[in-house]
């Protein structure tokens, strides 16, 4: 289930520029390496078609002549990024990942993913952390076996994907390999930050803890905010460091399942909706861009031209997922996401993972876990083929998920990779 970029904390005054939670201060000098990477027209087209939302507010930068002037820290001078002059040589973006055409050409008989490095990122944590993450659902709480845990289920999908993608020639690594966090921080370590977040939001004397997870007032407690910072921010930032500094893949697959609101969380009910969508990075709001780190990271992604790979790949993979799962397209009714292609399944949205990972990222959101048929099918676990459920044969959602991902990547890379001429 796609999470908002920052925890659902109380609003911070808009006139207070700041870093987002647990972010490092950007090295603004690094933007100088973006000089002569894009023309002015290319930059403006990318903003208009992918990275901007529908707001009319001015961003914290301006275009002057053939340069981008970017606001940095409060009180510090702006950074100037010269655009590519049409008569000059284009600089290559500094990046660790390779586009499909930068991979070694395929020889006759080579599998389509040969030489490609894919990192699998099973969303959330699962296991004993699932209830804290609010990614735990049971229609029969008295029976612990009748529960679905998103983090555990998508880890199963990742384990199924690995050998199948390797059979197509890919090198596959895991961002998370177990029902355990990647971050070494604990919720208690983050209590000082949680208190500061609450104070910035106008809660000067927050309660230290909450007694009931279903009590809406829990969000102003230090405990709840520290837990959110742990699994939604510290965890994703730790994964970002692993992806960018250790794994350095050509592609990350963020594996999730979706859910719809079910009213009273103490008495969950099934919903009629069941759907699919894929997310790429984009659709930044003015409020998000006020944060120094978010502004810096967005510009790094835009100038790396990552959207030129993400969007067509997402279109192909989404089509394969739709065929495999039989799910209709989800329709966003919020301004936090926007359509960026002809596919009804593909949206751009600014999430922490698909912004921090400095390579192409496909963020999957198939199935609604609290849809009755999907819930029952998920309880059956992973299996190949069909099994009897409520008097009819059904497939495993996890297997259909896996097949859709594999088929989509195989189709995309088969169509775009360079092949040696015999």
């Amino acid at each position: 289930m796609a999470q908002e970029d920052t925890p659902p904390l109380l609003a911070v005054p808009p006139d207070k520029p700041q870093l987002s939670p647990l972010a490092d201060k950007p090295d603004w000098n690094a933007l100088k390496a973006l000089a002569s990477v894009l023309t002015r027209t290319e930059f403006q087209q990318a903003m208009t078609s992918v990275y901007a939302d529908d707001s009319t507010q001015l961003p914290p930068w301006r275009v002057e002549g053939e340069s981008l002037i970017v606001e940095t820290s409060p009180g510090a001078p702006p950074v100037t990024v010269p655009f590519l002059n049409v008569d000059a040589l284009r600089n290559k973006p500094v990046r660790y990942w390779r586009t499909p055409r930068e991979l070694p050409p395929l020889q006759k008989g080579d599998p389509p993913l040969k030489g490609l490095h894919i990192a699998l990122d099973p969303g959330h944590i699962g296991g004993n952390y699932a209830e804290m993450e609010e990614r735990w659902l049971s229609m029969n709480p008295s029976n612990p076996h009748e529960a679905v845990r998103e983090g555990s289920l998508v880890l199963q999908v990742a384990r199924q994907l690995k050998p199948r993608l390797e059979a197509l020639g890919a090198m596959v690594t895991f961002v998370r390999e177990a029902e355990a966090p990647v971050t070494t921080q604990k919720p208690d370590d983050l209590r000082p930050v949680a208190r500061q977040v609450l104070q910035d939001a106008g809660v000067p004397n927050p309660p230290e803890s909450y007694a009931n997870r279903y009590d809406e007032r829990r969000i102003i407690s230090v405990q709840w905010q520290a837990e959110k910072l742990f699994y939604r921010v510290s965890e994703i930032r730790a994964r970002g460091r692993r992806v960018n500094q250790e794994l350095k893949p050509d592609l990350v697959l963020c594996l999730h399942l979706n859910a719809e609101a079910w009213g009273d969380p103490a008495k969950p009910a099934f919903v009629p909706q069941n759907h699919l969508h894929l997310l790429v990075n984009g659709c930044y709001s003015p409020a998000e861009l006020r944060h120094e780190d978010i502004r810096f990271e967005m510009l790094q992604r835009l100038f790396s031209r990552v959207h030129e790979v993400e969007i067509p790949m997402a279109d192909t993979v989404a089509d394969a997922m739709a065929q495999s799962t039989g799910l209709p397209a989800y329709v966003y009714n919020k301004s936090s996401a926007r359509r960026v292609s002809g596919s009804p399944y593909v949206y751009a949205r600014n999430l922490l993972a698909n912004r921090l990972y400095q390579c192409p990222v496909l963020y999957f959101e198939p199935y609604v876990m609290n849809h009755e048929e999907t819930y029952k099918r998920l309880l059956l676990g992973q299996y190949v083929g069909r099994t009897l459920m409520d008097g009819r044969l059904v497939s495993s959602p996890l297997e259909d998920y896996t097949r859709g991902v594999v088929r989509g990547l195989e189709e995309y890379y088969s169509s775009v990779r360079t092949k040696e001429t015999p």
Side-chain angles (χ1 to χ4, degrees), residues 298-405:
M298 190 221 75
L299 290 170
Q300 284 191 313
R301 286 188 65 83
L302 189 158
F303 275 86
S304 76
R305 307 176 72 160
V306 67
H307 54 281
E308 296 176 11
V309 174
E310 277 185 349
I311 294 173
M313 187 190 305
D315 285 352
T316 300
V317 176
D319 184 62
M321 289 287 292
Q323 294 181 41
S324 179
T325 63
L327 293 169
Y330 176 66
V331 178
Y332 268 93
N333 56 13
K334 297 180 179 180
S335 61
S336 60
R338 59 171 294 180
R339 293 271 298 276
V340 288
S341 72
S343 172
Y345 295 93
V346 177
Y347 286 85
R349 188 174 171 190
N350 172 34
L351 299 172
L352 188 56
N354 72 4
R355 186 181 76 248
L356 281 185
Y357 304 169
Q358 297 169 1
C359 62
V361 177
L362 296 186
Y363 198 110
F364 293 83
E365 289 284 2
Y367 296 108
V368 172
M369 293 183 291
N370 52 329
H371 176 268
E372 184 172 9
E373 180 182 286
T374 295
Y375 175 80
K376 291 179 178 179
R377 289 170 67 196
L378 288 170
L379 289 178
L380 295 175
Q382 193 277 332
Y383 53 89
V384 177
R386 296 180 182 271
T387 192
L388 196 65
M389 186 189 80
D390 294 340
R392 66 188 188 89
L393 293 173
V394 296
S395 58
S396 164
L398 305 183
E399 177 64 20
D400 293 343
Y401 192 159
T402 303
R403 289 182 178 179
V405 174

Side-chain angles (χ1 to χ4, degrees), residues 39-320:
T39 66
R40 171 176 173 165
T41 298
E42 288 170 337
F43 171 81
Q44 292 174 325
Q45 287 177 340
M47 282 300 307
T48 301
S49 61
V50 181
Y51 291 96
D53 67 0
D54 59 1
S55 172
T56 58
Q57 295 184 41
L58 294 176
W61 59 73
R62 65 187 186 276
V63 173
E64 289 187 359
E66 293 302 313
S67 294
L68 180 69
I69 314 298
V70 185
E71 294 178 19
T72 58
S73 305
V79 169
T80 299
V81 181
F83 291 121
L84 172 66
N85 185 297
V86 292
D87 298 323
L89 291 176
R90 185 188 296 270
N91 288 338
K92 290 185 178 180
V94 178
R95 60 191 184 200
Y96 58 72
W97 57 275
R98 298 165 295 173
T99 70
R101 297 189 183 280
E102 291 170 343
L103 295 168
L106 295 175
Q107 307 294 323
K108 184 178 180 180
D110 282 346
L113 305 188
K114 183 178 179 181
L116 177 70
H117 180 187
I118 301 174
L120 302 177
D121 182 26
H124 310 291
I125 304 172
N128 295 330
Y129 293 87
E131 193 167 0
M132 177 194 293
E133 297 179 291
E134 300 177 0
R135 295 299 182 269
W136 178 95
L137 172 66
S138 176
M139 297 299 177
N140 183 11
S142 63
N143 185 348
H145 298 292
E146 289 190 22
V148 293
R149 297 170 175 84
E150 183 181 356
S152 302
L153 291 170
V154 293
L155 181 58
Q156 291 183 49
V157 173
R159 289 169 175 167
Q160 292 168 206
L161 279 171
K162 187 175 190 295
R164 300 188 203 188
L165 294 173
E166 288 175 337
L168 292 173
M171 181 179 83
V172 182
T173 52
F174 286 92
V175 182
R176 171 175 71 89
E177 299 185 62
E179 293 174 339
V182 176
T183 181
T184 58
Q185 291 182 306
K186 306 298 182 187
D188 283 348
D189 300 331
L190 299 167
R191 280 179 171 265
V193 181
R195 288 191 192 92
Q196 186 61 54
V197 166
L198 288 164
Q199 289 174 10
D200 289 344
V203 185
N205 298 300
E208 284 296 311
S209 61
Y210 61 88
N212 184 351
R213 185 167 291 279
Y214 301 129
D215 184 351
E216 292 184 356
R217 293 171 297 177
R218 72 193 185 283
I219 70 170
I220 63 168
S221 71
V222 174
Q223 177 188 349
W224 190 84
Q225 294 292 347
E227 290 172 350
K228 288 287 186 186
L229 288 166
F230 158 67
Y231 68 77
R232 190 173 287 190
V233 183
S234 178
E235 175 65 12
I236 304 304
R237 291 193 179 280
R239 296 188 195 194
R241 289 188 290 273
R242 177 163 164 75
V243 167
N244 297 329
Q245 299 174 19
E246 180 184 342
L247 301 179
K248 299 183 178 181
D250 300 304
L251 171 66
V252 174
L253 305 181
C254 290
L255 307 172
H256 289 256
L257 294 164
N258 217 331
E260 291 278 351
W262 54 69
D264 184 352
K267 299 177 181 178
F270 291 122
V271 297
Q273 301 94 328
N274 205 16
H275 41 65
L276 157 73
H277 69 287
L278 266 67
L279 295 167
V280 297
N281 184 252
C283 194
Y284 287 72
S285 72
E288 291 169 333
L289 292 172
R290 283 199 298 269
H291 295 77
E292 286 187 49
D293 54 303
I294 295 178
R295 180 162 71 252
F296 178 84
E297 290 152 1
M298 190 221 75
L299 290 170
Q300 284 191 313
R301 286 188 65 83
L302 189 158
F303 275 86
S304 76
R305 307 176 72 160
V306 67
H307 54 281
E308 296 176 11
V309 174
E310 277 185 349
I311 294 173
M313 187 190 305
D315 285 352
T316 300
V317 176
D319 184 62

Side-chain angles (χ1 to χ4, degrees), residues 105-107 418-422:
L106 295 175
Q107 307 294 323
T418 302
K419 297 179 175 62
E420 287 283 9
T421 304

